[in-house]
């Protein structure tokens, strides 16, 4: 089970840290991705991490503002959102997928098998 937390309402320019906690499963050989979705639009990738290898990737649209990290002890993946803009307003989801090496980092929604319930991020101007 994946549980997101940390969403909220902030003004533009501020920061938030989203967390994705994994319950009841190991994250060994797992990739965890972050996605976001606005009503009426398709879900888009924000970034992802290969848990075992530690490699990360973020979408070009958020590069330089968003970063992904992990907390091994808490089995949690964090998405740090800095310098937020109104266009970042969306429901943010984390998802997990079994991978077979320490390097592969999937970024497409169809590649992921397990999804959290989402957390709302609202950025006001």
């Amino acid at each position: 089970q994946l549980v997101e937390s940390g969403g909220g309402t902030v003004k533009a320019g501020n920061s938030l840290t989203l967390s994705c906690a994994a319950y009841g499963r190991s994250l060994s050989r797992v990739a965890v991705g972050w996605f976001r979705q606005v009503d009426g639009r398709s879900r888009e990738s924000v970034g992802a991490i290969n848990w075992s290898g530690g490699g990360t990737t973020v979408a070009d649209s958020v590069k330089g503002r968003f970063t992904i990290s992990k907390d091994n002890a808490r089995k949690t993946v964090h998405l740090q959102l800095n310098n937020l803009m109104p266009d970042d307003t969306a429901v943010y989801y984390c998802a997990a997928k079994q991978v077979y090496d320490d390097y592969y980092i999937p970024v497409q929604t169809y590649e992921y098998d397990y999804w959290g319930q989402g957390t709302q991020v609202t950025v006001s101007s």
Side-chain angles (χ1 to χ4, degrees):
Q1 181 185 9
L2 300 174
V3 179
E4 302 98 335
S5 62
T9 300
V10 297
K11 291 190 174 180
N14 284 346
S15 300
L16 282 174
T17 302
L18 306 185
S19 298
C20 174
Y23 296 97
R25 65 170 295 131
S26 167
L27 291 177
S28 175
R29 289 292 171 89
V30 168
V32 177
W34 282 98
F35 298 82
R36 65 185 181 184
Q37 188 169 25
V38 176
D39 281 350
R41 296 172 64 177
S42 58
R43 198 167 292 187
E44 66 168 344
S45 173
V46 175
I49 183 170
N50 182 303
W51 181 271
S52 295
T56 62
T57 185
V58 292
D60 288 343
S61 60
V62 301
K63 197 164 290 182
R65 299 191 297 120
F66 292 7
T67 57
I68 296 176
S69 62
K70 63 173 181 169
D71 182 332
N72 289 322
R74 291 182 170 83
K75 292 201 304 182
T76 299
V77 174
H78 300 293
L79 177 66
Q80 179 67 37
L81 295 73
N82 294 328
N83 192 21
L84 281 160
M85 303 186 294
D87 282 350
D88 295 318
T89 295
V91 178
Y92 285 71
Y93 298 89
C94 68
K97 170 186 170 56
Q98 190 78 41
V99 293
Y100 299 98
D101 62 41
D102 294 342
Y103 308 103
Y104 183 56
I105 307 175
V107 295
Q108 302 296 329
T109 55
Y110 66 80
E111 297 183 274
Y112 283 85
D113 303 306
Y114 305 98
W115 291 83
Q117 81 289 352
T119 186
Q120 176 72 45
V121 172
T122 303
V123 185
S124 62
S125 57

